Amino acid sequence: MKTIWTTASALALMATAAAAQTTEVRVMWYSDGIEGEVIADLLSRFEEMHPEIDIVLDNVAYQVIQEQLPIQLASGDGPDIARVTNLKEQAQHFLDLRPYVADAAYWDSNFGNRLDWMRPDGSDAIPGFMTQLTLTGGFANVTLFEQAGVEIPGADATWDDWIEASRLVMENQGLPAAFAIDRSGHRISGPNASFGANYIGADGLPAQVDDGTLAFVNRLVDWTDQGLMLPEVWVSASGTTYRAAADDFINAQIPFYYSGSWQVANLSTKINDSFDWVATGSPCGDAGCSGLAGGAALVAIKYTEHPEEVAMVMDYLASEEVLREFTERTLFLPAHAGVVAAGGLNFMSDDPNVGPALSRFVEASAQTLPMADALPSWKWANVYYGALVTRVSQVMAGELSVDQARTMIDEDIADQVAAAQ
Amino acid sequence: MDPALRWWQRRTGIGGMAAFFLLPNLAVFGVFVIVPLVLNFIYSLTGGSDILLPDRTFVGGAQYARLIDCDNYLQPLTCREDHFWTAVRNTTLFVLFQVSLMVTVSMITALILNRNIRGRGFFRAVFFFPVLLSPVVVGLIWRWILQRQGLLNLIVTELGLEPVVWLNDRFYAFAAAVGVSTWAHMGFYTLILLAGLQAIPRDLYEAAEMDATPSTRVFRRITLPLLGPNLAVVLVLALIRGVQIFDEAYVLTGGGPGTATMYITQYIYEVGFASLLRNPGLAAAASILMGLILVVLTLIQLWLSRRAEKAKAR
């Protein structure tokens, strides 16, 4: 009996000692599609190689990243690593990994062209890396178009062409709406740019709402009034609440959906072989056919107590081999210069819609306009997006006129700029 | 008694002893209520987008001035913070309709459940069941019922009528918020009124029956006056809860369509935490103003409760 007790005590002490030597690294992660499963698999392999590091993967809803993480960061708290889309605005909370990573030159050469998106202006910090690049763009339900006998608009088709074609499909197939755009200021900013909008003043501060922005906003409002745009997405909510219309497209309720490249895996997984779909790129306006580039970044958080361990995790995840696998399995567009240069990506999907869709997004990325290219690294982008989505929704709901909304958007933005200075 | 306690009582008297025993509760209450309340008030006097208090700029009453900067309070669009006044207007309308409906429905339900009907226990449980549900669950259930392809539209189309996008219509969305909130909480108020009804002496009704008094008169002359204290408590509690409306309405309508169902609590939550246009100081100021309204309602409730107790004592 004494021997048993002694052995048990020794084992308990050993377990305690082992636990004491383990460093916990928390990763806050959200998923658009299947990337949560992929990252969990990659991280479990890392843990096998590094038993001294225990990674806790917190899979959260995107809303948590948008609404709760900023509060945690602002109060000097948060996870050790987080996957975020709001990059520039939160840059002061990100850890500079430069002193900790194994090879800073590797990071500069492979991620350098996007690091400005996630660090304070003028800084040379390495806060993290883009897990993928995204581009806003449309998707069309080919099966619905074929059943309606309506030809899918071509590569140079305008927004008006697309909505008209979608209207014909809607009427022929008895659908509730012709199209939908995610409820987000970010999502309508590519189209706004296509109509000549400029958000950025000469001094780098937000410019007043211009006719380019109103050209597309007026169309959106008219299309909503005509019952062409799915009202549940924009009209039903208030404030800056984000709402995606992916489920409506997946359920074949709308023939045309404007969202972005991050939806490819989601659509492929959920639509399966229910219908055929294609990526369309961004329809054209008077000034071009621009989508809006962006993406999600995996960043280290400044408030971590284990910067060395965090850097080890980041080095592993940012390595070319791992990132290549991540890209191929998640069906995302890569942001790693080496992976892009090497080419030959073997996207792991037997869905025939996936390959052409990703290729179409790659083609469309060459069509983005300068204003759209400047937005991802612009400090005030989110403020502009927030004011746009709040007021445009009110116009759609019949609470404001477009002119009132224009004035109020300018006031909302001015208030935010004043509060931040 | 413990010698130490006896010594303490001799030194401080009964009041001191009471304070001593209350100390743990006061400490907890202070940490979790008083301190946040004071901090919130300090926040409301600061500006900027930083969260940490030391990083924020003192702006005095500027946030309050901004909130009440209005040409016409009845027309929110003439106010600098139009969403705040829209939320105030919506909350006022919500309270008016929801409290009236809640008290009426709870009263009718309590009167029915007080009768000797078959399955009385079952029906009491049924009416109380929604109270046990999480507000988020309540919101989701009703959203599934009311959405475009929801259960209600299935029934509507079965009847050969055109489906309605209930939550995209300002009137229906508002009515849904009122109705769902009433459905979710009426069980609680029914229970309070039922307790009051069962406390009314039976012999009063028997006497009225012997006099062949009409039932409407019995209700006006016996039931209502004796149920008055309970009814007053129900009214004030429903008012307080009405002003605080947030969770089930937020899940159900998201504040839409437009801002038709945006209530004060949602405004505070969005401005303070959720919006891309965040302003913690403004949210704190709005919550102080809302707190003042709730303090007034609570004082009324306390006064009514005391009055009811005195009436019972007599």
Side-chain angles (χ1 to χ4, degrees):
Chain A
M1 192 68 190
K2 196 174 176 183
T3 313
I4 292 170
W5 276 113
T6 310
T7 310
S9 304
L11 284 170
L13 280 169
M14 281 162 67
T16 311
Q21 286 167 1
T22 304
T23 304
E24 187 182 274
V25 172
R26 292 198 86 89
V27 181
M28 189 185 273
W29 185 272
Y30 79 92
S31 296
D32 288 312
I34 53 168
E35 64 269 35
E37 298 155 38
V38 177
I39 201 75
D41 179 35
L42 295 171
L43 288 173
S44 68
R45 276 188 247 161
F46 174 85
E47 283 179 310
E48 283 168 21
M49 292 185 284
H50 297 274
E52 76 280 10
I53 297 176
D54 173 31
I55 298 177
V56 180
L57 183 67
D58 294 322
N59 266 302
V60 299
Y62 182 61
Q63 203 172 359
V64 174
I65 300 284
Q66 286 285 80
E67 295 178 6
Q68 292 177 29
L69 181 64
I71 305 294
Q72 288 181 33
L73 297 181
S75 56
D77 202 0
D80 299 297
I81 297 171
R83 187 180 189 222
V84 293
T85 54
N86 185 0
L87 306 176
K88 198 73 171 184
E89 206 182 348
Q90 301 183 121
Q92 74 270 26
H93 302 295
F94 302 157
L95 174 72
D96 180 6
L97 290 164
R98 192 172 288 277
Y100 303 106
V101 291
D103 181 6
Y106 166 86
W107 284 74
D108 284 329
S109 60
N110 286 298
F111 303 109
N113 56 348
R114 300 288 184 320
L115 289 176
D116 270 344
W117 290 11
M118 58 184 97
R119 61 189 176 195
D121 290 340
S123 158
D124 73 336
I126 299 176
F129 66 96
M130 302 297 292
T131 55
Q132 90 275 26
L133 284 182
T134 60
L135 186 72
T136 59
F139 298 94
N141 183 325
V142 176
T143 305
L144 280 175
F145 271 86
E146 283 172 354
Q147 284 172 348
V150 177
E151 200 173 325
I152 290 187
D156 297 328
T158 63
W159 271 97
D160 295 338
D161 297 336
W162 265 105
I163 303 309
E164 177 57 21
S166 302
R167 183 184 66 79
L168 294 173
V169 177
M170 172 190 89
E171 287 170 355
N172 181 277
Q173 295 293 296
L175 301 172
F179 81 109
I181 299 182
D182 292 337
R183 190 178 191 276
S184 148
H186 171 270
R187 221 66 84 241
I188 61 168
S189 292
N192 284 348
S194 299
F195 282 91
N198 177 45
Y199 296 177
I200 307 169
D203 53 0
L205 291 172
Q208 293 206 312
V209 171
D210 59 16
D211 293 344
T213 297
L214 287 186
F216 186 68
V217 164
N218 272 315
R219 280 176 165 78
L220 265 188
V221 171
D222 288 344
W223 291 329
T224 306
D225 287 346
Q226 293 167 37
L228 299 176
M229 181 152 103
L230 196 69
E232 282 94 326
V233 185
W234 275 73
V235 184
S236 285
S238 66
T240 63
T241 305
Y242 174 76
R243 280 196 181 173
D247 287 344
D248 297 287
F249 184 76
I250 288 161
N251 293 323
Q253 294 295 296
I254 43 174
F256 179 58
Y257 170 42
Y258 192 82
S259 183
S261 59
W262 60 92
Q263 295 284 10
V264 169
N266 188 35
L267 300 186
S268 171
T269 309
K270 291 180 180 168
I271 292 170
N272 215 335
D273 57 357
S274 300
F275 59 83
D276 289 328
W277 53 275
V278 290
T280 65
S282 282
C284 303
D286 303 334
C289 318
S290 184
L292 185 59
L298 195 66
V299 293
I301 303 299
K302 194 163 72 176
Y303 312 110
T304 180
E305 291 171 6
H306 317 289
E308 288 86 2
E309 287 81 0
V310 164
M312 285 170 71
V313 177
M314 295 293 277
D315 264 334
Y316 164 79
L317 291 174
S319 64
E320 186 164 339
E321 187 188 344
V322 171
L323 208 48
R324 186 181 185 86
E325 183 185 340
F326 177 82
T327 301
E328 288 175 339
R329 289 173 65 183
T330 55
L331 315 181
F332 284 150
L333 302 176
H336 181 290
V339 171
V340 175
L345 283 165
N346 178 29
F347 287 109
M348 294 181 193
S349 170
D350 43 20
D351 182 344
N353 298 304
V354 166
L358 290 170
S359 300
R360 184 68 190 92
F361 274 108
V362 172
E363 282 168 33
S365 65
Q367 292 181 285
T368 56
L369 291 165
M371 198 282 282
D373 291 337
L375 289 178
S377 60
W378 187 49
K379 183 184 175 182
W380 303 104
N382 268 326
V383 168
Y384 222 107
Y385 301 155
L388 271 176
V389 73
T390 301
R391 298 306 182 179
V392 171
S393 288
Q394 285 186 268
V395 177
M396 289 173 179
E399 293 179 359
L400 299 176
S401 69
V402 173
D403 286 342
Q404 283 174 312
R406 182 181 197 158
T407 306
M408 288 177 156
I409 291 168
D410 287 337
E411 284 171 357
D412 290 346
I413 293 169
D415 279 344
Q416 289 293 306
V417 172
Q421 286 176 334
Chain B
M1 191 192 278
D2 186 87
L5 284 177
R6 193 172 295 159
W7 173 83
W8 178 257
Q9 187 174 340
R10 276 207 202 97
R11 284 189 59 89
T12 61
I14 296 291
M17 279 299 283
F20 176 75
F21 285 114
L22 279 173
L23 210 58
N25 268 345
L26 282 173
V28 171
F29 187 74
V31 168
F32 292 104
V33 178
I34 305 293
V35 172
L37 207 64
V38 172
L39 278 175
N40 190 54
F41 180 68
I42 296 168
Y43 257 98
S44 73
L45 304 176
T46 61
S49 54
D50 293 305
I51 295 283
L52 295 179
L53 207 47
D55 301 336
R56 296 178 60 77
T57 321
F58 181 78
V59 295
Q63 304 287 19
Y64 294 95
R66 182 172 164 176
L67 280 176
I68 59 172
D69 181 3
C70 229
D71 292 338
N72 179 354
Y73 292 109
L74 297 176
Q75 293 182 326
L77 287 180
T78 66
C79 304
R80 188 170 170 204
E81 275 306 310
D82 59 301
H83 281 172
F84 175 72
W85 288 102
T86 300
V88 169
R89 184 195 59 193
N90 291 345
T91 307
T92 307
L93 288 170
F94 178 86
V95 166
L96 280 173
F97 285 98
Q98 197 257 2
V99 172
S100 312
L101 184 68
M102 176 82 83
V103 173
T104 307
V105 171
S106 300
M107 186 73 189
I108 292 166
T109 311
L111 286 168
I112 293 168
L113 293 178
N114 194 41
R115 293 184 156 211
N116 209 354
I117 54 168
R118 189 182 293 184
R120 190 166 66 167
F122 168 75
F123 285 115
R124 283 181 186 181
V126 163
F127 281 107
F128 190 73
F129 179 68
V131 178
L132 304 175
L133 294 175
S134 146
V136 173
V137 172
V138 168
L140 280 174
I141 288 170
W142 282 95
R143 205 166 89 187
W144 289 331
I145 292 169
L146 296 167
Q147 66 192 7
R148 183 165 33 86
Q149 292 179 293
L151 187 66
L152 189 58
N153 272 339
L154 187 73
I155 296 164
V156 165
T157 46
E158 283 296 314
L159 294 170
L161 301 166
E162 278 294 303
V164 180
V165 189
W166 304 98
L167 299 178
N168 275 2
D169 180 279
R170 298 175 69 80
F171 171 76
Y172 289 133
F174 182 80
V178 168
V180 168
S181 179
T182 304
W183 176 85
H185 301 295
M186 63 171 276
F188 175 70
Y189 300 106
T190 300
L191 213 62
I192 294 173
L193 293 173
L194 197 55
L197 285 170
Q198 291 182 340
I200 299 172
R202 292 286 321 149
D203 52 354
L204 293 175
Y205 291 111
E206 284 161 9
E209 207 174 325
M210 285 168 71
D211 292 345
T213 314
S215 54
T216 50
R217 198 164 181 196
V218 170
F219 179 72
R220 276 190 292 112
R221 299 289 173 145
I222 299 172
T223 308
L224 262 187
L226 291 174
L227 202 60
N230 295 66
L231 212 50
V233 169
V234 161
L235 194 70
V236 177
L237 284 178
L239 269 173
I240 291 170
R241 188 167 252 169
V243 173
Q244 292 175 320
I245 177 71
F246 173 58
D247 24 31
E248 62 255 28
Y250 184 65
V251 173
L252 182 71
T253 64
T259 53
T261 57
M262 180 192 260
Y263 303 111
I264 298 178
T265 316
Q266 186 189 333
Y267 170 85
I268 292 165
Y269 164 69
E270 290 205 342
V271 172
F273 302 104
S275 175
L276 293 173
L277 311 171
R278 215 170 277 131
N279 187 335
L282 194 65
S287 68
I288 294 284
L289 292 182
M290 184 182 159
L292 290 175
I293 296 167
L294 290 173
V295 164
V296 170
L297 291 174
T298 306
L299 289 174
I300 293 169
Q301 193 229 326
L302 288 171
W303 178 73
L304 286 169
S305 298
R306 285 204 192 101
R307 217 176 117 202
E309 277 170 25
K310 279 180 187 169
K312 273 182 185 165
R314 275 190 236 116

